[in-house]
């Protein structure tokens, strides 16, 4: 079997997308619409939990939002005016229905459902302690650790229990929680994972990206601030900031690849930032060529920026099929190498005899870059130059991104010249970390206090990595790799 899911190529994967609705009749239907807009953040599974004032209702399923939540009987089975939804691409826990979110539990304070985007970097450590104290886990998701910490807290109110729990966790989290009293949304003190708040009439909405507000017609209010807990109850919105103030470190890769280009992240248009990234790339690593060609679709905005800054014409030299199914059953291994052409095909008449600059957002393992360069050469390109709209990805992420082990990252074991030889390009260049910060409006990267979490490029992790530190030396901790 050859996987041809457009999101199953050689890319880093955001773990999840979350969406919450408070005070809307048919909240589950609105949550389903919001999840459609966030589908790019999670391809494996989707779930929605609603509350009708008396009972919680949940539907979780493997696969995409479409096909699972576009059925009238499913939405009817999720009554209530508040709902939380989740799309998942797992980095912690195996791919199975028991790990699909939102997760739900009956606590001493009442029902509690949580949808989580991020990754708890001390979840294994905390889970071991909780099990020794008698906790019984029903999933292998790090999100369940939060539920158990809330359940076992000695604090009285649910809000204080949640605060007590979150003060024990490391890593990245944006949460939407449903309770009998209302909805709680919060973001980790560093703001690594995004979360925004919007309004549609009297309805309050939380989402991972502003594009999910757009699809339901809601107005953007503001981002949930790093370290902020927002409580929506009986029409009132309360803000709590119980954590020690620290300098935020939002994920820089949201601007490079994760977020949809029509979203606004931390006050900046993702599309505009990606064009600026392409312009910086052209200024740093320009080369004489006939055409600038994006590797679709993620390389397109940067390629437009590169073309505008360099004066080289932008052309669609690679055509992507948007109608490829999740898998393609091969009759034999002999045609397995043709799989890339199911998603991408060379515009042969355009590229033949031309010198081309290919623009992509990143190189992870290098397998896709190798195939794309080969495709261009087979189409008759005279020269194939590769330009990458981010610095070399040299380090694994522990904050909610599916990343190969460090030794499987091409840039961690090869220099740029060796990578160029590996993908068979005529030249290869990456955007510098300083160029990336300039594209984001920063004069330079402050090494003492960077504006963003850029650990995948620099190895500068903003939190402790307890699980990795405790287990990696013994070879017990392996990051999940999906191919």
């Amino acid at each position: 079997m050859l996987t041809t899911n457009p999101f199953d190529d050689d890319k880093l994967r955001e773990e999840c997308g979350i969406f919450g609705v408070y005070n809307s009749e048919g909240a589950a239907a609105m949550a389903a619409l919001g999840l459609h807009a966030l589908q790019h953040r999670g391809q494996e599974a989707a779930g929605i939990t609603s509350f009708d004032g008396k009972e919680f209702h949940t539907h979780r399923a493997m696969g995409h939002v479409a096909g699972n939540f576009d059925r009238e009987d499913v939405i009817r089975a999720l009554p209530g005016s508040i709902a939380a939804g989740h799309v998942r691409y797992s980095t912690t826990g195996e791919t199975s229905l028991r790990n699909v979110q939102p997760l739900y539990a009956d606590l001493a304070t009442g029902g509690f459902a949580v949808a989580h985007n991020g990754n708890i970097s001390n979840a294994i450590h905390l889970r071991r302690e909780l099990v020794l104290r008698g906790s019984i886990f029903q999933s292998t998701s790090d999100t369940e650790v939060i539920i158990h910490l809330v359940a076992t807290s000695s604090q009285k109110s649910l809000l204080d229990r949640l605060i007590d729990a979150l003060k024990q966790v490391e890593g990245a989290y944006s949460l939407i929680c449903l309770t009998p009293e209302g909805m709680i949304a919060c973001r980790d003190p560093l703001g690594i994972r995004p979360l925004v708040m919007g309004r549609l009439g009297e309805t309050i909405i939380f989402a991972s990206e502003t594009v999910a507000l757009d699809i339901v017609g809601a107005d953007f209010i503001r981002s949930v601030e790093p370290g902020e807990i927002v409580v929506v109850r009986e029409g009132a919105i309360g803000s709590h900031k119980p954590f020690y103030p620290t300098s935020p470190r939002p994920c820089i890769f949201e601007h490079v690849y994760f977020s949809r280009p029509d979203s606004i992240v931390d006050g900046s248009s993702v599309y505009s930032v990606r064009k600026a990234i392409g312009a910086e790339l052209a200024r740093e690593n320009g080369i004489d060529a006939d055409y600038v060609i994006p590797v679709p679709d993620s390389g397109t905005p940067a390629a437009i920026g590169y073309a505008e800054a360099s004066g080289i014409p932008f052309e669609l030299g690679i055509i992507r099929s948007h109608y490829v199914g999740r898998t393609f059953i091969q009759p034999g291994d002999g045609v397995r190498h043709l799989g890339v052409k199911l998603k991408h095909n060379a515009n042969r008449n355009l590229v033949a005899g031309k010198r081309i600059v290919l623009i992509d957002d990143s190189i992870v393992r290098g397998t896709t870059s190798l195939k794309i360069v080969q495709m261009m050469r087979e189409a008759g390109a005279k020269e194939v130059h590769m330009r990458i709209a981010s610095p070399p990805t040299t380090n694994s992420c522990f904050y909610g991104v599916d990343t190969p082990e460090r030794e499987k990252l091409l840039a961690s074991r090869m220099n740029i010249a060796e990578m160029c030889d590996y993908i068979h390009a005529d030249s290869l260049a990456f955007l510098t970390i300083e160029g990336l910060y300039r594209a984001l409006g920063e004069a330079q990267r402050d090494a003492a206090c960077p504006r963003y979490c850029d650990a995948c490029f620099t190895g500068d992790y903003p939190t402790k990595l307890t699980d990795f530190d405790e287990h990696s030396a013994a070879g017990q901790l392996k990051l999940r790799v999906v191919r």
Side-chain angles (χ1 to χ4, degrees):
M1 180 178 292
L2 173 68
T3 302
T4 58
N5 178 1
F7 294 88
D8 193 26
D9 49 7
D10 188 25
K11 298 290 183 186
L12 300 180
R13 302 291 183 281
E14 170 65 271
E15 182 190 31
C16 302
I18 56 178
F19 190 88
V21 181
Y22 178 87
N23 191 31
S24 174
E25 288 305 317
M30 185 179 290
L33 285 174
L35 292 182
H36 274 287
L38 299 173
Q39 186 71 87
H40 60 288
R41 299 182 76 90
Q43 297 292 302
E44 290 184 350
I48 295 175
T49 296
S50 68
F51 181 64
D52 63 9
K54 295 181 179 179
E55 296 181 0
F56 288 82
H57 309 269
T58 297
H59 182 79
R60 302 181 298 165
M62 305 303 298
H64 291 186
V65 179
N68 285 313
F69 289 97
D70 55 2
R71 293 164 38 200
E72 187 176 345
D73 61 319
V74 171
I75 298 300
R76 276 203 312 265
L78 296 168
S81 62
I82 66 173
H86 187 275
V87 287
R88 181 175 193 258
Y89 186 97
S90 61
T91 61
T92 302
E94 82 268 13
T95 302
S96 66
L97 190 59
R98 66 174 177 160
N99 286 330
V100 180
Q101 297 185 37
L103 297 183
Y104 173 82
D106 285 307
L107 308 182
T109 53
F112 184 71
V114 59
H116 170 210
N117 172 30
N119 198 67
I120 307 305
S121 60
N122 63 337
I124 296 173
H125 177 87
L126 291 171
R127 183 187 182 105
R128 183 168 58 244
E129 292 184 342
L130 286 162
V131 169
L132 289 173
R133 283 156 43 191
S135 291
I136 301 173
F137 282 76
Q138 301 298 313
S139 76
T140 58
S141 169
D142 61 334
T143 307
E144 192 178 357
V145 168
I146 297 173
I147 294 176
H148 284 273
L149 290 173
V150 172
T152 57
S153 172
S154 60
Q155 300 297 315
K156 292 185 178 180
S157 73
L158 177 60
L159 178 60
D160 287 338
R161 284 171 176 250
L162 179 61
I163 292 170
D164 183 39
L166 295 180
K167 285 184 175 181
Q168 299 177 62
V169 304
E170 301 168 1
Y173 56 83
S174 286
L175 305 177
I176 296 174
C177 308
L178 298 189
T179 78
E181 289 77 32
M183 179 172 285
I184 302 173
C186 56
R187 199 171 171 199
D188 68 76
L190 293 172
I192 297 174
R193 300 264 69 87
L195 190 63
V196 299
M197 179 166 54
R199 182 188 291 273
L200 179 61
E202 298 302 313
T203 301
I204 300 298
I205 298 170
F206 297 95
S208 292
E209 293 184 37
T210 60
V211 69
L213 303 178
D214 297 339
I215 200 172
V216 299
D219 294 323
F220 170 74
I221 299 176
R222 63 178 177 87
S223 294
V224 176
E225 296 179 17
E228 182 183 18
I229 297 177
V230 179
V231 179
V232 187
R233 182 168 47 201
E234 297 179 352
I237 301 174
S239 174
H240 306 265
K241 296 182 179 179
F243 304 104
Y244 186 79
T246 186
S247 297
R249 295 280 298 274
C251 173
I252 203 167
F253 221 88
E254 292 286 347
H255 297 279
V256 174
Y257 174 71
F258 294 144
S259 295
R260 264 180 48 165
D262 45 345
S263 279
I264 305 295
V265 174
D266 295 323
S268 298
S269 160
V270 174
Y271 178 77
S272 296
V273 168
R274 289 178 187 169
K275 282 186 64 180
I277 285 173
E280 287 290 341
L281 185 60
R283 285 189 280 269
E284 288 185 348
N285 296 291
I287 194 167
D288 193 21
D290 298 305
Y291 297 133
V292 175
I293 294 174
V295 177
D297 288 319
S298 58
T300 301
I304 294 172
Y306 189 103
E308 290 179 354
S310 66
I312 301 172
F314 171 94
E315 293 287 355
L316 296 179
I318 302 171
I319 306 303
R320 174 183 165 184
S321 171
H322 292 266
Y323 306 99
V324 179
R326 185 167 180 83
T327 55
F328 177 78
I329 306 301
Q330 294 287 345
D333 291 338
V335 294
R336 190 175 297 271
H337 69 285
L338 299 178
V340 70
K341 294 185 177 180
L342 295 173
K343 289 180 291 185
H344 300 120
N345 193 47
N347 190 348
R348 185 177 297 270
N349 193 53
L350 176 76
V351 303
K354 302 298 183 181
R355 301 165 301 163
I356 63 172
V357 181
L358 293 174
I359 309 294
D360 206 355
D361 58 90
S362 61
I363 290 181
V364 182
R365 298 175 183 86
T367 52
T368 295
S369 300
L370 173 63
K371 292 174 183 177
I372 292 293
V373 171
Q374 180 183 359
M375 180 191 298
M376 294 293 97
R377 294 205 184 280
E378 291 174 352
K382 183 179 179 181
E383 296 176 11
V384 182
H385 303 276
M386 198 89 180
R387 295 294 181 268
I388 306 301
S390 63
T393 303
T394 54
N395 297 274
S396 298
C397 177
F398 298 90
Y399 303 123
V401 178
D402 179 48
T403 314
E405 290 91 342
R406 188 167 187 264
E407 62 268 18
K408 293 184 180 179
L409 294 168
L410 196 68
S412 73
R413 54 190 176 87
M414 294 184 185
N415 60 35
I416 294 177
E418 290 169 335
M419 286 190 279
C420 184
D421 289 341
Y422 176 82
I423 66 173
H424 303 313
D426 290 288
S427 72
L428 170 67
F430 292 79
L431 183 69
T432 65
I433 190 69
E434 296 296 342
L436 180 54
Y437 272 77
R438 285 195 298 270
L440 284 159
E442 301 285 319
Q444 61 183 6
R445 180 182 187 271
D446 182 350
C449 186
R451 168 72 175 80
Y452 296 93
C453 176
D454 52 23
C456 54
F457 305 132
T458 65
D460 182 3
Y461 294 98
T463 74
K464 293 190 294 183
L465 302 174
T466 297
D467 289 342
F468 181 80
D469 292 339
E470 288 184 352
H471 299 280
S472 60
Q476 296 173 354
L477 181 65
K478 291 292 183 182
L479 296 180
R480 183 174 180 273
V481 180
V482 177
R483 290 297 298 160

